[in-house]
Amino acid sequence: MLSVKEIEQIIPHRHPFLLVDRIEELEPGKKAVGYKCVTFDEPYFAGHFPGEPVMPGVLIVEALAQTGAVAILSDEQFKGKTAYFGAINSARFKRKVVPGDRLRLECEIIKQKGPVGVGSAKAYVGDELACRAELTFMVG
């Protein structure tokens, strides 16, 4: 299991934009499973939406990408590098994510050629799928 401090040693994201609280499962270069505890204190809830706080879908996708970045940047060949978005494909949102939810973030690297790869990513609240997407990354 990786803590926030350990995650920060792998990816360059920092508060308030680090959207992964911990990594529970890690296979370097292959897969990562992490968590984000969504709280009322998240700064975006002030405006998204007043009276009905909902985690923006783009931030759910970003949390998935950060989880995938931990997986790929844990591979010895990419240590110290940064993973950038190349594409977001087939993103689908299946349920709202609201304060109090514990978001389980899963990203499996399904293709890779050199510094470019694709991750299959899914976010769950409990056993319920909240979001899925195919994320293309470029390491630089």
Side-chain angles (χ1 to χ4, degrees):
M1 180 165 22
L2 302 178
S3 67
V4 167
K5 289 211 179 282
E6 292 166 311
I7 294 167
E8 289 177 342
Q9 292 175 1
I10 300 169
I11 62 175
H13 304 76
R14 299 294 180 267
H15 179 78
F17 207 68
L18 180 59
L19 299 174
V20 181
D21 295 331
R22 78 171 201 256
I23 296 293
E24 186 172 87
E25 188 180 323
L26 177 62
E27 292 180 53
K30 297 181 188 292
K31 179 182 179 180
V33 177
Y35 288 93
K36 166 70 177 159
C37 293
V38 182
T39 69
F40 279 105
D41 297 333
E42 309 292 343
Y44 47 82
F45 285 139
H48 198 269
F49 300 101
E52 186 188 355
V54 176
M55 185 174 184
V58 295
L59 295 182
I60 297 169
V61 172
E62 175 64 27
L64 286 166
Q66 289 179 17
T67 302
V70 169
I72 199 65
L73 298 176
S74 294
D75 190 322
E76 199 60 43
Q77 67 179 320
F78 296 126
K79 285 195 181 207
K81 306 257 184 189
T82 300
Y84 300 96
F85 265 128
I88 302 168
N89 294 310
S90 304
R92 297 289 181 263
F93 301 93
K94 301 296 188 175
R95 78 178 301 280
K96 293 189 287 187
V97 176
V98 299
D101 285 345
R102 182 174 178 240
L103 202 55
R104 186 174 79 242
L105 306 159
E106 301 179 359
C107 189
E108 181 177 355
I109 308 306
I110 56 173
K111 290 185 222 171
Q112 184 180 345
K113 185 171 183 177
V116 179
V118 177
S120 174
K122 294 178 182 173
Y124 295 88
V125 175
D127 292 331
E128 195 174 348
L129 182 66
C131 174
R132 65 177 165 79
E134 187 178 272
L135 308 175
T136 301
F137 62 86
M138 299 175 294
V139 177

